[in-house]
Amino acid sequence: MSGPVKVALGIVAVAGAALVVSGMLKKEEKVDSCDMTQEEVVTIFKKIKGTLQGKMSSIMKNIEMLKQQVPDPQQLQMIILMEFEKQLTAIQEAVFEEFKCDEEDLETATNYYLARGDEEVKASVEALRELYAMFGGKVDTEVPAELTVEKMCDILEMYMDTITKANQEIQNIVTHMQMSGQQMTPEMEEPLKKMVETETNKVFSKFGINTMIFQAACEKYNKHPKFIAKANEMDQKRKMAAAGAGAMSPTGMAAPPSAPATPAADDGELD
């Protein structure tokens, strides 16, 4: 796919994002009043996230087929993100209809409760932000001053080592199943994907960050010589581990879709 086409797809993806994510979740504005209760706001966010998570879980089961058809990981990521936003828009409209509200109502109410320090509303908003970021969406996030390039190199190393270890464990399970004449089913994949997510979240928690901050920091240091060197080092380490293990893990078992591509790596995929 040519560069201009990639850019065009990117514009379509951003323009098609539902306001809940592309607009309101990237900014907070002070408002004096709203027509929705705190419980309604929290329930709406939780319902959107829960439904969306289920939809995307089903869609990601076909990732291996997508990988075969679209070998470029950046193009694949674009497709996944556009599908996420398509699902988000449809789910959001259904939920708004159920609660008899619209985007502006929810935006106003959310900013109202956030301005008053409502932790439950904040948590529900952050949960949807996190999900969006996991599937490659860009959410405006400030990188903490203490998150230096040296610290990010440490985080990246632990993150990649965690993914490599998880992939090896999954491959051992798959190999054992194949030797026993069994095949991996979508239902069996779910707990394995959850395991990878849990382990990578442990890395983030150790350093006091989340997926969004990790993404933002990777972008911030994307051209920094130290970060590039560490990214290339970890990519080579990953490839050596992959070569030693033979076939890699089943669909979507590796890093979440938003895992950053290494600046000088030749594939950018954490398979």
Side-chain angles (χ1 to χ4, degrees):
M1 183 179 291
S2 65
V5 174
K6 285 184 180 180
V7 172
L9 281 175
I11 293 172
V12 170
V14 172
L19 180 63
V20 162
V21 170
S22 66
M24 176 176 53
L25 296 193
K26 291 184 179 179
K27 63 181 180 180
E28 293 177 14
E29 297 178 354
K30 292 183 179 180
V31 293
D32 298 323
S33 62
C34 69
D35 297 324
M36 299 178 67
T37 67
Q38 184 263 13
E39 184 178 2
E40 286 175 326
V41 173
V42 172
T43 301
I44 287 173
F45 273 106
K46 287 184 176 180
K47 189 155 191 175
I48 290 174
K49 177 181 178 289
T51 306
L52 184 57
Q53 206 162 16
K55 288 280 188 182
M56 290 307 297
S57 179
S58 298
I59 290 170
M60 292 303 289
K61 291 173 184 176
N62 299 320
I63 193 66
E64 281 301 323
M65 184 181 298
L66 280 176
K67 282 184 178 179
Q68 294 169 10
Q69 297 172 356
V70 187
D72 184 341
Q74 291 184 340
Q75 293 179 37
L76 180 62
Q77 181 60 66
M78 188 78 72
I79 292 171
I80 293 172
L81 178 57
M82 291 176 72
E83 183 61 36
F84 179 94
E85 292 177 337
K86 174 184 173 183
Q87 295 296 329
L88 172 59
T89 301
I91 292 168
Q92 177 179 298
E93 289 177 356
V95 174
F96 285 168
E97 176 65 26
E98 179 183 346
F99 284 83
K100 306 302 178 186
C101 66
D102 57 25
E103 295 169 349
E104 186 176 353
D105 293 333
L106 182 60
E107 180 178 4
T108 299
T110 301
N111 285 323
Y112 175 82
Y113 291 112
L114 287 177
R116 282 151 183 76
D118 192 295
E119 290 299 324
E120 195 172 5
V121 170
K122 181 180 178 181
S124 65
V125 171
E126 289 298 320
L128 187 54
R129 273 177 165 165
E130 281 271 349
L131 188 64
Y132 186 52
M134 279 183 63
F135 283 95
K138 302 301 179 184
V139 179
D140 290 345
T141 304
E142 185 177 346
V143 177
E146 63 271 17
L147 192 54
T148 63
V149 66
E150 289 81 11
K151 189 172 183 180
M152 265 304 294
C153 286
D154 291 340
I155 295 173
L156 182 63
E157 181 170 3
M158 186 174 293
Y159 175 82
M160 294 291 287
D161 282 344
T162 298
I163 289 173
T164 298
K165 181 180 178 181
N167 273 336
Q168 290 172 342
E169 291 178 5
I170 291 170
Q171 185 56 38
N172 289 337
I173 293 172
V174 173
T175 300
H176 179 74
M177 290 179 62
Q178 290 174 340
M179 291 176 64
S180 304
Q182 297 176 288
Q183 288 188 337
M184 179 67 66
T185 65
E187 291 72 22
M188 297 169 71
E189 289 180 8
E190 288 306 311
L192 296 178
K193 286 192 285 187
K194 191 66 178 177
M195 176 193 75
V196 177
E197 181 181 343
T198 299
E199 292 304 312
T200 53
N201 282 339
K202 286 180 182 178
V203 174
F204 295 156
S205 295
K206 180 176 180 180
F207 290 92
I209 65 172
N210 55 30
T211 303
M212 295 179 293
I213 295 176
F214 179 67
Q215 272 191 333
C218 284
E219 290 183 9
K220 177 180 179 179
Y221 298 121
N222 190 41
K223 296 182 180 180
H224 195 290
K226 287 185 179 180
F227 190 72
I228 292 174
K230 175 57 69 173
N232 287 334
E233 175 192 335
M234 298 312 299
D235 193 56
Q236 289 302 314
K237 187 175 179 180
R238 173 188 67 84
K239 289 178 179 178
M240 290 176 63
M248 289 309 292
S249 63
T251 256
M253 295 297 179
S258 58
T262 52
D266 57 330
D267 63 11
E269 211 176 1
L270 301 175
D271 44 11

